[in-house]
Amino acid sequence: MMKVADRLHSVQEYYFSRKLKEVNQLIKDGKPIINLGIGSPDLEPPKQVVDVLIDSLVHPVAHKYQSYQGLPELRTAIADFYNTEFNVAVNPDTEVLPLMGSKEGIMHISLAFLNEGDAVLIPNPGYPTYSSVTQLVQATPIHYNLDETNNWLPNFEAIEQQDLSKVKLMWTSYPHMPTGAKATKADLETLVTFAKKHNILLINDNPYSFILNDNPISILDVEGAKDVALELNSLSKTFNMAGWRVGMVLGHAAHINAILKVKSNMDSGMFYGIQKGAIEALKCSSAWYKSLNEIYKNRRELVWQLADKLDCTYDKNATGLFVWAKLPEGKTSEAFIDQILYNNSVFITPGTVFGSQGEGYIRFSLCAKEAQIKDAISRL
């Protein structure tokens, strides 16, 4: 049997990949599992987006290889979207790169900027992929702790007590995943100042801005941010297009060009029809966001009831596609969710998936119908 690469020993199978095998086996065994663990939108994309995709299938170039940089019209649509929604001006030819989902951007950015032995600042709790990709490229993760006493924002005084001499990248995600905490523009300005001070490339992962959030902001709206910051974004959550795999990275032309060097060696362009659909999505009016958020608002009210029934506490000012809830004193996350899974057939995500600072917390997804959430409440 062929021995695997050493880098594979630095990571484990993604939690949801592993846990969903168990959940699916329970379903096969006849258990009526309600899945409140996964943030995969169950709603439809805008109808006009699907119509454009269908119409595009007969275009003469639809089934050919596409540009590594995406259609010029897609880059322009992304730039226009950022100008309209975030008041951020970017050059669509040099400062925008479409991605096949923002998750691939995490790998591309890491490959573009990290050498073996470089260090990366990673939020705890935070998206697990930041750590796993860092380890796969043989860089060193340095986790910085976030907690609710500081609204899940970085404690720069504590971070600067560490050796930052080898730190090259810093991952952030505001609105924050998994907690839903919001950052103000002043908070983002502080992040940019920190990055400049320590010559660190800052990446803000920003896919949840429009979900239950009245004030979407971008780190690129901070003066001088392009010199030290990139922003990842995605159509997955905002337009219910998770399976389409459409993301984007924006920032300084030199940074974007470095990422393109990696990306152009790893794929052969995004499917034409998906790009045309993405362009249409980015043209949606504010009525789309209002309608989407009405649905999530109603679901969140029910999830709050579910959290109350479990004696959890939570922040009603948090945003995004999840409810981050604190367990009663003395309860541990994984034991708690397993008890609910096996006894009540409800799957909830343990906070420890996102790091050690997630111990004592659980995360509910809003990607379930109201009837399913009501059923979950009744089971408890």
Side-chain angles (χ1 to χ4, degrees), residues 16-54:
F16 288 116
S17 172
R18 186 175 71 253
K19 193 67 176 180
L20 285 178
K21 292 176 186 176
E22 181 182 348
V23 171
N24 289 333
Q25 186 58 54
L26 289 172
I27 293 171
K28 288 180 181 179
D29 293 341
K31 297 288 186 181
I33 305 295
I34 297 172
N35 190 340
L36 299 179
I38 307 298
S40 179
D42 61 309
L43 301 169
E44 297 292 321
K47 181 180 183 302
Q48 65 269 30
V49 171
V50 178
D51 290 343
V52 166
L53 169 64
I54 293 170

Side-chain angles (χ1 to χ4, degrees), residues 284-297:
C284 284
S285 70
S286 59
W288 166 257
Y289 308 111
K290 183 178 180 181
S291 173
L292 183 67
N293 282 319
E294 279 300 313
I295 294 171
Y296 284 135
K297 182 180 177 181

Side-chain angles (χ1 to χ4, degrees), residues 170-182:
M170 179 177 184
W171 291 99
T172 65
S173 175
Y174 292 102
H176 185 242
M177 203 292 292
T179 70
K182 293 179 283 188

Side-chain angles (χ1 to χ4, degrees), residues 95-117:
E95 297 181 324
V96 176
L97 182 62
L99 303 169
M100 294 182 186
S102 59
K103 190 173 185 178
E104 80 155 10
I106 298 171
M107 176 60 84
H108 291 345
I109 291 167
S110 298
L111 286 170
F113 294 103
L114 294 174
N115 293 314
E116 183 177 354

Side-chain angles (χ1 to χ4, degrees), residues 31-297:
K31 297 288 186 181
I33 305 295
I34 297 172
N35 190 340
L36 299 179
I38 307 298
S40 179
D42 61 309
L43 301 169
E44 297 292 321
K47 181 180 183 302
Q48 65 269 30
V49 171
V50 178
D51 290 343
V52 166
L53 169 64
I54 293 170
D55 291 343
S56 75
L57 297 179
V58 295
H59 193 280
V61 303
H63 306 291
K64 295 184 176 182
Y65 288 125
Q66 301 298 315
S67 166
Y68 300 109
Q69 293 176 275
L71 293 171
E73 310 97 275
L74 176 56
R75 297 197 306 274
T76 297
I78 292 169
D80 290 345
F81 178 81
Y82 257 71
N83 190 37
T84 300
E85 302 297 343
F86 296 116
N87 194 34
V88 168
V90 290
N91 185 324
D93 294 324
T94 61
E95 297 181 324
V96 176
L97 182 62
L99 303 169
M100 294 182 186
S102 59
K103 190 173 185 178
E104 80 155 10
I106 298 171
M107 176 60 84
H108 291 345
I109 291 167
S110 298
L111 286 170
F113 294 103
L114 294 174
N115 293 314
E116 183 177 354
D118 286 339
V120 182
L121 287 170
I122 297 171
N124 176 17
Y127 187 34
T129 299
Y130 305 145
S131 291
S132 58
V133 166
T134 297
Q135 292 168 317
L136 283 170
V137 301
Q138 297 178 297
T140 303
I142 298 177
H143 294 93
Y144 61 95
N145 289 346
L146 309 176
D147 63 67
E148 63 180 321
T149 62
N150 194 38
N151 193 35
W152 306 101
L153 290 164
N155 181 334
F156 293 102
E157 184 177 338
I159 293 173
E160 289 183 324
Q161 290 176 1
Q162 302 182 76
D163 180 7
L164 304 180
S165 61
K166 293 185 178 181
V167 173
K168 203 167 183 182
L169 300 184
M170 179 177 184
W171 291 99
T172 65
S173 175
Y174 292 102
H176 185 242
M177 203 292 292
T179 70
K182 293 179 283 188
T184 65
K185 187 173 181 180
D187 294 326
L188 298 182
E189 288 171 346
T190 303
L191 275 163
V192 169
T193 299
F194 173 83
K196 288 183 176 181
K197 177 181 177 181
H198 295 282
N199 192 30
I200 293 170
L201 181 60
L202 178 67
I203 308 101
N204 187 47
D205 195 5
N206 191 16
Y208 296 98
S209 271
F210 298 92
I211 307 299
L212 296 171
N213 185 14
D214 295 330
N215 184 34
I217 58 176
S218 165
I219 202 164
L220 298 179
D221 190 32
V222 173
E223 185 175 354
K226 282 184 191 175
D227 294 335
V228 294
L230 293 165
E231 183 153 280
L232 288 169
N233 215 317
S234 167
L235 305 193
S236 295
K237 310 304 192 290
T238 305
F239 300 104
N240 303 325
M241 295 167 65
W244 292 52
R245 309 313 303 137
V246 182
M248 63 204 77
V249 59
L250 303 94
H252 194 285
H255 295 148
I256 295 299
N257 191 54
I259 300 165
L260 177 60
K261 286 183 180 180
V262 174
K263 178 176 169 56
S264 63
N265 282 287
M266 296 187 73
D267 67 59
S268 298
M270 189 187 304
F271 180 59
Y272 176 82
I274 287 178
Q275 293 190 69
K276 297 296 283 188
I279 293 166
E280 190 64 27
L282 290 164
K283 296 177 182 177
C284 284
S285 70
S286 59
W288 166 257
Y289 308 111
K290 183 178 180 181
S291 173
L292 183 67
N293 282 319
E294 279 300 313
I295 294 171
Y296 284 135
K297 182 180 177 181

Side-chain angles (χ1 to χ4, degrees), residues 284-360:
C284 284
S285 70
S286 59
W288 166 257
Y289 308 111
K290 183 178 180 181
S291 173
L292 183 67
N293 282 319
E294 279 300 313
I295 294 171
Y296 284 135
K297 182 180 177 181
N298 292 336
R299 292 180 177 186
R300 185 174 63 179
E301 292 278 352
L302 289 170
V303 168
W304 285 344
Q305 291 181 36
L306 181 59
D308 288 339
K309 205 159 186 182
L310 293 171
D311 294 323
C312 294
T313 55
Y314 46 87
D315 179 7
K316 288 192 173 184
N317 294 315
T319 66
L321 205 57
F322 310 100
V323 170
W324 180 253
K326 189 172 185 177
L327 293 171
E329 195 68 31
K331 299 288 187 180
T332 58
S333 300
E334 294 195 27
F336 187 88
I337 72 104
D338 279 345
Q339 180 182 356
I340 301 300
L341 175 62
Y342 303 139
N343 294 342
N344 307 95
S345 295
V346 177
F347 175 49
I348 307 163
T349 302
T352 46
V353 169
F354 309 102
S356 60
Q357 289 291 99
E359 181 58 271

